[in-house]
Amino acid sequence: MLASDKLVTYMWILLAVYAAVILFFVIRGARKNTSIKDYAVGNIGFPSWVVGLSLAASMTSAATFIINPGFIALYGISGVISFAIVLPIADFVNCIYKRLCKTRKCRKSYNHGTMDW
């Protein structure tokens, strides 16, 4: 079954609006970056809800639904324990630690990422 011309037109409009919104945020973010530190860690200017949404998006990516079932099939119950119990607890503790560290005076000693910018 093929899509109707009306549905195709609506889809192109939706894609154009989506591209415009993404472009708006890209340009807005690019104007705020004045140094490599701003680009790398956001100069610690991200609200916690933005970090949370970013974490949720990266954790529920397509790779999650493709790779993790293979790990579970390969490793069995140990895969289930690691992905269903240990990983969510570790992520939760990590988010709390990052939030506490952002609000306390440990900003200078806190490593914001895996890369040393």
Side-chain angles (χ1 to χ4, degrees):
M1 180 174 174
L2 296 175
S4 67
D5 290 337
K6 188 176 183 180
L7 186 60
V8 170
T9 303
Y10 287 146
M11 188 55 75
W12 278 112
I13 292 170
L14 179 67
L15 286 173
V17 169
Y18 176 76
V21 168
I22 294 298
L23 191 60
F24 166 77
F25 284 115
V26 166
I27 292 171
R28 190 179 91 174
R31 287 184 178 175
K32 291 181 180 181
N33 290 340
T34 57
S35 68
I36 189 66
K37 185 177 180 182
D38 291 341
Y39 175 77
V41 293
N43 204 9
I44 315 173
F46 288 117
S48 58
W49 63 271
V50 171
V51 175
L53 286 177
S54 176
L55 180 63
S58 65
M59 288 176 60
T60 58
S61 67
T64 300
F65 298 108
I66 296 169
I67 295 171
N68 291 350
F71 284 141
I72 301 300
L74 182 64
Y75 295 111
I77 191 66
S78 63
V80 171
I81 291 170
S82 65
F83 281 106
I85 299 171
V86 176
L87 184 64
I89 292 171
D91 285 337
F92 183 70
V93 170
N94 186 28
C95 287
I96 291 172
Y97 174 75
K98 286 181 180 180
R99 183 63 187 152
L100 289 176
C101 204
K102 186 176 180 180
T103 58
R104 291 187 184 166
K105 295 181 180 180
C106 64
R107 291 182 181 185
K108 292 180 181 177
S109 64
Y110 177 65
N111 183 8
H112 291 281
T114 56
M115 301 178 81
D116 186 16
W117 294 91

